[in-house]
Amino acid sequence: MHMPLVVAALVAASLSAPAPIGVQDDGKPAVTRENIDKLVRHARTGSAVIRPQAADRLVSFGGPAAARLLELSGDSNADLAALGTSLVEVLGRFEDERLRAKLWPALDDSEFPWRPAASRSLGAAPLASERERFEAFLDDPIAPVRLAVLEALSKITEPTDERFLRQAVRQLSDDNDYVRRAAAELLDDRGHGRALLWLVEDLRRVDSYFDQATGEAARYAAMYALLDRGIEVEPYDPAAPATGDNGRAIDAIGRTVEARADAMEAKLPEPLRGLVPRELPTIARAGAQVKDAVLGLALKSCRRGDYFLRWTTGDVLVVGYGNPARIQLPEGTTERLAALSGKTLEAAGDRFYWGRPGCDMESFRVPGTKAKGGRPQMLILSKDEQPGSDLRPGALSVLGAAMAASIPAGDDLDAEDPRTRELARRVRDAFASIGGPVEKAAGEGARR
């Protein structure tokens, strides 16, 4: 880097860095009201790097910081949400009953924007008496919540607790690969090593969602998890295709895991043997790449969960990634949506982003037009945790409404696949939580 750029970077860093807090003679931060309030401010309004660091520092302040946060958390979930996700994330680490009593109503509230943080906060030091409360969220629509409560339950149950083991086995069929891998690792920790075959399968994944390398991320995550458990993976190469020598390496890893699992299972009490099925569910198997997607829609809602949809040249709706679900649509559906997306691009002009940065996002991937150089385009609506209206332009609402309407009703779908169950309704709910109901906004846009 050139010297002027170095100087400029240092100046910028000094301007954006938080003000230092006072210290004691031993060099540790002084536990004063002033320092507590400074850290609260940094945790609420600092940069993405500073916020969690400031929240962590507050935990080290103990009781005085807990008392101040209790005061600032107010009397409602809205007041608690105003603390921000970084502070909600650490409230449970104070082990203060009063703060904990605020976290459960927040987790129960489907409109609370920081439910994943609340679930992790509660799971930092879970109580055995809360077991049934945690269990109620194992089917939550938000994957990070499911992951947090699964890990919390693992902390408050005995290794041979059959009820928890069966719950973990059920999560091996979760529609989120992070949850599946966590369940596999928790089961392996309790002597059910066959669950690691789920990680071996992830070594074969080649999937992606357009330019998001979901399969590659899964391969590396699975490889490191296996290494952490002392399982040799060489000469497997996560950057190479799962064929030839690399495919044989995966096969060898699978045999190692099978032999290890048999030895582990032999030591289990008879009632606990065979809990992990020998056949992986379809949802956990590596799938082929989707190469014929024409349009895509990614919905990321901090209240309703995430959805990844693609419409292909063969009029197939592809739901999710990994080994996605596939729904055959009426002939001409994709062509009709593509034509409508062209009108959306024309209406958008030079714009491709609307709203304000935050945890909610709608991302439309549409074919390019001649005016756009023929390249695929991405149109994004983003929103923070605050409710908003009129953020989504009418043209995007028209396209969103048409995409949602193309999803068949529940009676036409595989009720056994969690990704397609009530999909049309759930997609509309996610739209509504981000930028408002698409049907209503589309109608208003047409009248304007």
Side-chain angles (χ1 to χ4, degrees):
M1 182 182 291
H2 296 298
M3 187 56 66
L5 295 178
V6 173
V7 173
L10 291 173
V11 170
S14 67
L15 291 175
S16 61
I21 64 174
V23 297
Q24 305 172 133
D25 292 340
D26 60 3
K28 295 182 179 180
V31 183
T32 65
R33 173 67 171 265
E34 180 184 9
N35 282 343
I36 289 173
D37 283 348
K38 281 183 180 179
L39 286 171
V40 168
R41 186 168 63 253
H42 297 332
R44 294 174 72 174
T45 63
S47 70
V49 174
I50 293 299
R51 288 196 299 270
Q53 293 177 350
D56 285 341
R57 182 71 64 88
L58 272 172
V59 176
S60 69
F61 280 20
R68 180 59 174 149
L69 288 171
L70 183 68
E71 180 183 356
L72 293 172
S73 62
D75 299 320
S76 68
N77 286 343
D79 293 333
L80 185 66
L83 289 179
T85 185
S86 294
L87 288 175
V88 171
E89 181 99 26
V90 301
L91 294 182
R93 289 166 53 189
F94 285 98
E95 299 187 28
D96 185 298
E97 292 182 3
R98 299 165 300 173
L99 289 175
R100 195 168 191 84
K102 289 180 174 291
L103 287 168
W104 278 112
L107 185 57
D108 286 331
D109 183 359
S110 63
E111 295 304 315
F112 187 75
W114 314 126
R115 292 182 65 250
S119 65
R120 290 189 293 268
S121 195
L122 287 164
L127 305 177
S129 59
E130 298 171 326
R131 177 170 183 167
E132 290 187 359
R133 299 190 78 171
F134 280 115
E135 289 175 335
F137 294 97
L138 284 171
D139 292 319
D140 195 84
I142 299 179
V145 172
R146 300 196 299 273
L147 178 59
V149 300
L150 181 67
E151 293 177 340
L153 287 167
S154 74
K155 296 177 182 178
I156 58 176
T157 54
E158 295 297 323
T160 57
D161 189 299
E162 186 173 351
R163 183 165 126 199
F164 171 75
L165 291 170
R166 291 190 180 280
Q167 288 167 340
V169 168
R170 188 161 62 89
Q171 300 306 112
L172 290 174
S173 296
D174 196 278
D175 64 5
N176 182 276
D177 55 347
Y178 287 91
V179 177
R180 293 198 300 270
R181 283 193 294 273
E185 292 178 56
L186 290 173
L187 285 163
D188 180 64
D189 290 340
R190 297 182 177 219
H192 299 266
R194 193 169 306 282
L196 292 190
L197 291 175
W198 270 247
L199 276 63
V200 175
E201 183 70 10
D202 274 350
L203 299 178
R204 304 182 190 276
R205 283 181 49 184
V206 296
D207 54 282
S208 63
Y209 177 78
F210 293 99
D211 56 350
Q212 297 178 32
T214 50
E216 180 181 30
R219 294 196 303 271
Y220 277 95
M223 180 186 71
Y224 288 126
L226 291 169
L227 286 171
D228 286 343
R229 280 162 166 69
I231 296 173
E232 181 59 58
V233 300
E234 290 185 354
Y236 171 73
D237 180 2
T243 56
D245 290 342
N246 219 32
R248 285 186 282 275
I250 297 173
D251 292 340
I253 296 169
R255 290 191 293 273
T256 298
V257 168
E258 287 268 18
R260 176 178 174 273
D262 289 341
M264 293 171 71
E265 191 157 6
K267 299 177 182 178
L268 294 173
E270 183 63 36
L272 298 183
R273 296 178 186 176
L275 289 182
V276 177
R278 290 186 173 272
E279 292 292 326
L280 272 66
T282 301
I283 201 169
R285 292 196 173 277
Q289 286 184 316
V290 178
K291 298 181 178 180
D292 57 347
V294 177
L295 301 101
L297 172 66
L299 300 175
K300 297 185 177 183
S301 167
C302 56
R303 294 173 174 85
R304 299 291 180 265
D306 299 345
Y307 299 90
F308 297 88
L309 308 175
R310 284 167 284 184
W311 287 260
T312 74
T313 54
D315 294 310
V316 173
L317 175 59
V318 181
V319 183
Y321 50 89
N323 190 16
R326 289 171 167 81
I327 303 170
Q328 184 63 56
L329 303 175
E331 184 177 353
T333 298
T334 300
E335 184 178 0
R336 174 174 54 81
L337 291 174
L340 183 57
S341 74
K343 296 179 180 178
T344 304
L345 281 179
E346 291 176 7
D350 293 331
R351 292 195 65 177
F352 63 90
Y353 178 85
W354 295 265
R356 50 185 185 262
C359 60
D360 284 338
M361 186 184 74
E362 301 172 3
S363 174
F364 298 80
R365 293 175 184 259
V366 300
T369 62
K370 290 182 179 179
K372 298 284 186 179
R375 296 183 301 275
Q377 302 289 309
M378 186 183 299
L379 303 173
I380 297 173
L381 170 72
S382 180
K383 182 177 72 63
D384 58 20
E385 74 280 4
Q386 297 299 324
S389 59
D390 298 326
L391 293 178
R392 187 195 298 120
L396 272 189
S397 289
V398 171
L399 179 58
M403 287 177 158
S406 76
I407 303 173
D411 292 343
D412 300 326
L413 304 179
D414 180 3
E416 297 301 316
D417 193 319
R419 296 167 296 184
T420 63
R421 198 176 302 139
E422 297 187 86
L423 179 61
R425 177 192 60 77
R426 291 186 291 125
V427 165
R428 287 187 173 90
D429 287 349
F431 265 127
S433 74
I434 301 171
V438 283
E439 288 83 359
K440 179 181 177 182
E444 291 174 349
R447 290 193 295 271
R448 284 200 291 266

